[in-house]
Amino acid sequence: MSSELSNNEKGLLLQLINGDTDAFAEIYDLYKDRIFAFAFTLTKSKEIAEEATQEVFVKLWEKRDQINTEYPLTPYIKKITYNYIISFFRKVKLDKQLQQNLYRNMEALRNSNEDELLQKELNKLYRRAIEELPQQKRTAYLLSREQHLSYEEIALQMGLSKNTVRNHMTEAIQFIRTYITNHADLACLVLAICIHRKMG
């Protein structure tokens, strides 16, 4: 938010509370790109990011009477965004395709160097999922993903058949996907950090 707007922010918020659509449009222009960037960073989906942006401003308009003009608007919009993303995670838990997409997107973020803090938190979540795997599945998964061994090499090292290793890997990947999307408390921690970095 520019210094000029900061000096007039209280008046702008009072106009919004009173239902001034011009004030709402000005606030929309100021914040829409930040909200979209956050949602797109997480979901890697333009459609979902656009939907999230629109929903946040619908909620802002509906709840404008709850705005406290003694404080900046940023924390209030963060709260609305945070609540929307929690709802998104709940939806993902019921939708297998969204669950798989979210897993892939979190994997991409985990391997990205664009935001070291976000990467660190995603790594923690990912590691906790791996630690919950049964021992043989965990061993096979780590040999494949961290030591880059082939299924045949893993089978020889573990004294298993190649098909057993393949089954271990399939089940381990599915478990990690489910773990990440079902642990809303951990996921929301990542989201809170992302919101803070993208909108702070």
Side-chain angles (χ1 to χ4, degrees):
M1 190 174 294
S2 68
S3 58
E4 181 180 354
L5 180 61
S6 295
N7 293 332
N8 297 300
E9 184 176 8
K10 185 171 182 178
L12 188 65
L13 294 180
L14 286 170
Q15 292 174 47
L16 173 62
I17 292 170
N18 290 328
D20 188 319
T21 55
D22 290 336
F24 177 76
E26 187 172 349
I27 290 171
Y28 178 86
D29 287 338
L30 286 166
Y31 286 93
K32 63 181 175 64
D33 290 340
R34 299 182 190 186
I35 294 173
F36 178 87
F38 156 67
F40 185 80
T41 296
L42 183 66
T43 65
K44 291 294 189 296
S45 167
K46 180 181 177 184
E47 291 75 17
I48 295 175
E50 288 176 345
E51 180 182 339
T53 303
Q54 295 303 317
E55 182 66 20
V56 166
F57 282 100
V58 168
K59 293 297 183 183
L60 178 64
W61 178 259
E62 291 175 346
K63 298 178 180 294
R64 62 188 184 278
D65 60 331
Q66 298 178 21
I67 296 173
N68 188 334
T69 59
E70 298 302 317
Y71 297 96
L73 185 61
T74 298
Y76 188 65
I77 288 189
K78 283 183 180 180
K79 181 179 179 181
I80 296 175
T81 306
Y82 183 80
N83 289 338
Y84 178 84
I85 298 299
I86 289 176
S87 297
F88 175 77
F89 269 98
R90 289 173 179 164
K91 181 180 179 181
V92 166
K93 289 170 67 174
L94 302 175
D95 189 314
K96 294 299 182 183
Q97 185 60 48
L98 280 176
Q99 185 182 95
Q100 292 178 9
N101 290 342
L102 179 61
Y103 172 79
R104 286 195 296 269
N105 294 337
M106 293 184 79
E107 276 279 275
L109 284 171
R110 188 180 66 82
N111 293 321
S112 170
N113 291 322
E114 292 178 0
D115 190 325
E116 292 182 1
L117 181 57
L118 179 58
Q119 181 185 5
K120 180 179 178 181
E121 294 303 321
L122 288 170
N123 268 320
K124 288 180 183 178
L125 181 60
Y126 179 73
R127 285 292 171 185
R128 290 183 187 182
I130 292 174
E131 289 171 3
E132 292 292 325
L133 287 168
Q135 184 175 353
Q136 278 202 330
K137 289 183 176 62
R138 181 169 66 250
T139 299
Y141 185 85
L142 292 174
L143 288 173
S144 173
R145 293 303 173 91
E146 297 195 352
Q147 297 188 30
H148 309 292
L149 300 184
S150 67
Y151 286 1
E152 186 174 353
E153 290 171 328
I154 296 170
L156 288 172
Q157 182 165 325
M158 295 183 66
L160 302 172
S161 71
K162 187 176 178 180
N163 284 337
T164 299
V165 171
R166 182 180 291 108
N167 290 338
H168 280 333
M169 286 297 297
T170 299
E171 292 170 7
I173 291 169
Q174 182 57 49
F175 176 86
I176 292 170
R177 287 175 176 169
T178 302
Y179 182 95
I180 289 174
T181 54
N182 283 354
H183 284 69
D185 54 339
L186 299 176
C188 288
L189 173 61
V190 174
L191 292 173
I193 291 170
C194 190
I195 290 169
H196 176 74
R197 293 297 297 274
K198 293 295 179 181
M199 299 187 65

